[in-house]
Amino acid sequence: MNSKFITIEGLEGAGKTTSCRIVAKILYKYGIDDIIHTREPGGTPLSEKLRQLLKNDMHNKESLTHYAELFVVSAARVQLVENVIKPALARGTWVIGDRHELSSQAYQGGGRKISHDFIRCLKEETLGNFTPDLTLYLDIPPETSLQRVKERGQLDRIEKESLHFFTRIRNQYLAIAQSDTRIYTIDANRSKAKVKTDIENIINRWLREIN
Ligand code: Z5A
């Protein structure tokens, strides 16, 4: 089987990092042990610097504009895709991504209200038709997201946004997931065990289908 690119998406605290590990364990059971994990923004030296730029609150009191924010996450993604993800897939390594382009559509599209067409054009210009083979969208209400994030400690620049902002992001995720058969929505507002079972079912079924 050719190597694949699987991504996990959702609001802060939805359980993406936890789910990435679950997906890897399932793949191991199928004998797929050549796997790398990526996160966005991040995953290359330059992309990690851009991640700090995105998350930090103040840049000498200069705020990041919405378009600049989109360019920062997109630049980090292009570096990661071209320098890490594509080479990995080419040598037969599977890639599990903690966030990818759907995050831009949800956060910068839904959250910041940048037009869908503009985000799509930027993606097509920079990455062509490169896209994940499978995406798991972990759906939680923004209230749950903010509660989990607050329990973790200090909030970063984006986490300080309003409930309305995160509601728009969730709605955008749900709308896109509904219209794309490669995106599976999982109700992640349940126990970790139930979410894990859903992930196992989806990955098992998908692996059988593509085999
Ligand atoms: N961003 C963007 O705006 N545009 C883009 O294109 C991209 C990103 C790519 C990345 O932040 C930021 O970048 C993000 C969007 C923006 N916004 N912010 N801020 P990040 O990588 O630092 O954060 P994150 O991606 O949101 O991940 P996270 O906060 O670490 O959450 P998570 O990975 O989804 O969850 P987790 O670490 O697996 O679990 C969080 C906690 O919840 C932990 O204590 C778990 O034990 C608990 N948990 C998980 N599942 C459950 C269930 N089912 N029940 C109860 N508790 C649970």
Side-chain angles (χ1 to χ4, degrees), residues 132-157:
D133 297 288
L134 175 78
T135 296
L136 304 180
Y137 163 57
L138 304 175
D139 182 55
I140 55 168
E143 291 85 352
T144 307
S145 165
L146 291 176
Q147 190 190 325
R148 287 187 193 167
V149 164
K150 279 180 189 153
E151 278 165 13
R152 193 170 52 190
Q154 206 167 358
L155 304 184
D156 69 26
R157 190 180 60 86

Short mmCIF file of all heavy atoms in Angstrom, two decimals, residues 132-157:
data_model
loop_
_atom_site.label_atom_id
_atom_site.label_comp_id
_atom_site.label_asym_id
_atom_site.label_seq_id
_atom_site.Cartn_x
_atom_site.Cartn_y
_atom_site.Cartn_z
N PRO A 132 -4.83 16.01 2.10
CA PRO A 132 -4.76 14.77 2.89
C PRO A 132 -5.61 13.66 2.27
O PRO A 132 -6.61 13.92 1.59
CB PRO A 132 -5.34 15.17 4.25
CG PRO A 132 -5.29 16.65 4.29
CD PRO A 132 -5.38 17.13 2.88
N ASP A 133 -5.20 12.41 2.52
CA ASP A 133 -5.98 11.27 2.04
C ASP A 133 -7.20 11.06 2.93
O ASP A 133 -8.24 10.56 2.48
CB ASP A 133 -5.12 10.00 2.05
CG ASP A 133 -3.96 10.14 1.09
OD1 ASP A 133 -4.21 10.10 -0.12
OD2 ASP A 133 -2.81 10.34 1.54
N LEU A 134 -7.06 11.39 4.19
CA LEU A 134 -8.15 11.20 5.16
C LEU A 134 -8.03 12.26 6.25
O LEU A 134 -6.92 12.54 6.71
CB LEU A 134 -8.03 9.80 5.79
CG LEU A 134 -9.02 9.49 6.91
CD1 LEU A 134 -10.40 9.15 6.35
CD2 LEU A 134 -8.52 8.30 7.75
N THR A 135 -9.16 12.81 6.64
CA THR A 135 -9.16 13.79 7.74
C THR A 135 -10.20 13.38 8.78
O THR A 135 -11.34 13.06 8.43
CB THR A 135 -9.49 15.21 7.22
OG1 THR A 135 -8.46 15.62 6.32
CG2 THR A 135 -9.60 16.22 8.35
N LEU A 136 -9.78 13.39 10.04
CA LEU A 136 -10.73 13.17 11.13
C LEU A 136 -10.98 14.53 11.78
O LEU A 136 -10.04 15.17 12.27
CB LEU A 136 -10.14 12.20 12.18
CG LEU A 136 -9.68 10.84 11.67
CD1 LEU A 136 -9.11 10.01 12.82
CD2 LEU A 136 -10.83 10.10 10.99
N TYR A 137 -12.22 14.96 11.75
CA TYR A 137 -12.57 16.22 12.41
C TYR A 137 -13.22 15.90 13.75
O TYR A 137 -14.28 15.27 13.81
CB TYR A 137 -13.51 17.06 11.53
CG TYR A 137 -14.21 18.14 12.32
CD1 TYR A 137 -13.46 19.08 13.02
CD2 TYR A 137 -15.59 18.19 12.41
CE1 TYR A 137 -14.08 20.05 13.80
CE2 TYR A 137 -16.22 19.16 13.18
CZ TYR A 137 -15.46 20.08 13.87
OH TYR A 137 -16.07 21.02 14.66
N LEU A 138 -12.57 16.33 14.82
CA LEU A 138 -13.08 16.08 16.18
C LEU A 138 -13.97 17.25 16.58
O LEU A 138 -13.47 18.36 16.82
CB LEU A 138 -11.91 15.94 17.16
CG LEU A 138 -10.87 14.87 16.83
CD1 LEU A 138 -9.70 14.93 17.82
CD2 LEU A 138 -11.51 13.47 16.86
N ASP A 139 -15.25 16.99 16.64
CA ASP A 139 -16.20 18.07 16.88
C ASP A 139 -16.50 18.22 18.38
O ASP A 139 -16.95 17.27 19.02
CB ASP A 139 -17.50 17.79 16.11
CG ASP A 139 -18.50 18.91 16.29
OD1 ASP A 139 -18.13 20.07 16.01
OD2 ASP A 139 -19.63 18.63 16.74
N ILE A 140 -16.22 19.42 18.91
CA ILE A 140 -16.64 19.74 20.29
C ILE A 140 -17.24 21.13 20.29
O ILE A 140 -16.86 21.98 19.48
CB ILE A 140 -15.49 19.68 21.33
CG1 ILE A 140 -14.31 20.58 20.92
CG2 ILE A 140 -15.03 18.26 21.60
CD1 ILE A 140 -13.28 20.77 22.03
N PRO A 141 -18.16 21.40 21.22
CA PRO A 141 -18.68 22.76 21.33
C PRO A 141 -17.57 23.70 21.80
O PRO A 141 -16.69 23.28 22.55
CB PRO A 141 -19.77 22.65 22.41
CG PRO A 141 -20.00 21.20 22.61
CD PRO A 141 -18.76 20.48 22.20
N PRO A 142 -17.61 24.97 21.37
CA PRO A 142 -16.58 25.92 21.79
C PRO A 142 -16.48 26.05 23.31
O PRO A 142 -15.40 26.28 23.85
CB PRO A 142 -17.04 27.24 21.18
CG PRO A 142 -18.12 26.94 20.25
CD PRO A 142 -18.58 25.55 20.43
N GLU A 143 -17.62 25.89 24.00
CA GLU A 143 -17.59 25.99 25.47
C GLU A 143 -16.66 24.93 26.06
O GLU A 143 -15.88 25.19 26.97
CB GLU A 143 -19.00 25.81 26.06
CG GLU A 143 -19.97 26.94 25.76
CD GLU A 143 -20.67 26.79 24.39
OE1 GLU A 143 -20.30 25.88 23.62
OE2 GLU A 143 -21.57 27.60 24.12
N THR A 144 -16.77 23.70 25.52
CA THR A 144 -15.91 22.61 26.00
C THR A 144 -14.46 22.92 25.67
O THR A 144 -13.55 22.71 26.50
CB THR A 144 -16.31 21.27 25.32
OG1 THR A 144 -17.70 21.07 25.51
CG2 THR A 144 -15.53 20.09 25.88
N SER A 145 -14.24 23.42 24.46
CA SER A 145 -12.89 23.75 24.02
C SER A 145 -12.25 24.76 24.98
O SER A 145 -11.14 24.55 25.48
CB SER A 145 -12.94 24.32 22.60
OG SER A 145 -11.75 24.95 22.25
N LEU A 146 -12.98 25.86 25.23
CA LEU A 146 -12.42 26.92 26.07
C LEU A 146 -12.18 26.43 27.50
O LEU A 146 -11.18 26.78 28.13
CB LEU A 146 -13.34 28.15 26.06
CG LEU A 146 -13.38 28.88 24.71
CD1 LEU A 146 -14.38 30.02 24.72
CD2 LEU A 146 -11.99 29.41 24.32
N GLN A 147 -13.08 25.57 27.97
CA GLN A 147 -12.92 25.02 29.33
C GLN A 147 -11.64 24.18 29.41
O GLN A 147 -10.84 24.33 30.34
CB GLN A 147 -14.13 24.16 29.66
CG GLN A 147 -14.20 23.75 31.12
CD GLN A 147 -15.29 22.70 31.31
OE1 GLN A 147 -16.33 22.74 30.64
NE2 GLN A 147 -15.05 21.76 32.20
N ARG A 148 -11.42 23.32 28.42
CA ARG A 148 -10.22 22.47 28.43
C ARG A 148 -8.95 23.31 28.31
O ARG A 148 -7.94 23.03 28.95
CB ARG A 148 -10.27 21.44 27.29
CG ARG A 148 -11.28 20.34 27.55
CD ARG A 148 -11.19 19.26 26.49
NE ARG A 148 -12.34 18.37 26.54
CZ ARG A 148 -12.66 17.50 25.60
NH1 ARG A 148 -11.93 17.40 24.51
NH2 ARG A 148 -13.72 16.71 25.72
N VAL A 149 -9.03 24.35 27.48
CA VAL A 149 -7.85 25.21 27.29
C VAL A 149 -7.54 25.97 28.57
O VAL A 149 -6.37 26.09 28.97
CB VAL A 149 -8.13 26.19 26.11
CG1 VAL A 149 -7.14 27.33 26.11
CG2 VAL A 149 -8.05 25.45 24.79
N LYS A 150 -8.59 26.45 29.25
CA LYS A 150 -8.37 27.21 30.49
C LYS A 150 -7.78 26.33 31.58
O LYS A 150 -6.93 26.76 32.35
CB LYS A 150 -9.69 27.83 30.96
CG LYS A 150 -10.01 29.11 30.22
CD LYS A 150 -11.31 29.74 30.67
CE LYS A 150 -11.67 30.88 29.73
NZ LYS A 150 -13.11 31.13 29.67
N GLU A 151 -8.23 25.07 31.61
CA GLU A 151 -7.70 24.14 32.62
C GLU A 151 -6.20 23.93 32.43
O GLU A 151 -5.48 23.64 33.37
CB GLU A 151 -8.42 22.79 32.53
CG GLU A 151 -9.75 22.78 33.25
CD GLU A 151 -10.63 21.59 32.86
OE1 GLU A 151 -10.11 20.66 32.24
OE2 GLU A 151 -11.84 21.64 33.18
N ARG A 152 -5.75 24.10 31.18
CA ARG A 152 -4.34 23.84 30.86
C ARG A 152 -3.44 24.98 31.33
O ARG A 152 -2.26 24.82 31.54
CB ARG A 152 -4.23 23.66 29.35
CG ARG A 152 -2.94 23.10 28.87
CD ARG A 152 -3.03 22.74 27.42
NE ARG A 152 -3.52 23.83 26.59
CZ ARG A 152 -3.85 23.71 25.31
NH1 ARG A 152 -3.78 22.54 24.74
NH2 ARG A 152 -4.29 24.73 24.61
N GLY A 153 -4.00 26.19 31.48
CA GLY A 153 -3.17 27.30 31.95
C GLY A 153 -3.28 28.53 31.08
O GLY A 153 -4.35 28.85 30.59
N GLN A 154 -2.15 29.21 30.89
CA GLN A 154 -2.15 30.51 30.20
C GLN A 154 -2.63 30.41 28.75
O GLN A 154 -2.28 29.46 28.04
CB GLN A 154 -0.74 31.08 30.21
CG GLN A 154 -0.77 32.58 30.12
CD GLN A 154 0.58 33.20 30.44
OE1 GLN A 154 1.54 32.51 30.78
NE2 GLN A 154 0.64 34.49 30.32
N LEU A 155 -3.43 31.39 28.35
CA LEU A 155 -4.00 31.36 26.99
C LEU A 155 -3.09 32.08 26.00
O LEU A 155 -2.49 33.10 26.32
CB LEU A 155 -5.36 32.06 26.98
CG LEU A 155 -6.42 31.53 27.97
CD1 LEU A 155 -7.74 32.26 27.76
CD2 LEU A 155 -6.62 30.04 27.81
N ASP A 156 -3.00 31.53 24.77
CA ASP A 156 -2.21 32.23 23.75
C ASP A 156 -3.09 33.24 23.02
O ASP A 156 -4.26 33.42 23.34
CB ASP A 156 -1.52 31.23 22.80
CG ASP A 156 -2.49 30.48 21.91
OD1 ASP A 156 -3.59 31.02 21.63
OD2 ASP A 156 -2.17 29.36 21.47
N ARG A 157 -2.52 33.90 22.01
CA ARG A 157 -3.21 35.01 21.33
C ARG A 157 -4.58 34.60 20.78
O ARG A 157 -5.58 35.29 21.00
CB ARG A 157 -2.31 35.53 20.18
CG ARG A 157 -2.77 36.82 19.54
CD ARG A 157 -1.81 37.21 18.42
NE ARG A 157 -1.74 36.19 17.40
CZ ARG A 157 -2.59 36.10 16.37
NH1 ARG A 157 -3.55 36.99 16.24
NH2 ARG A 157 -2.48 35.13 15.49
#
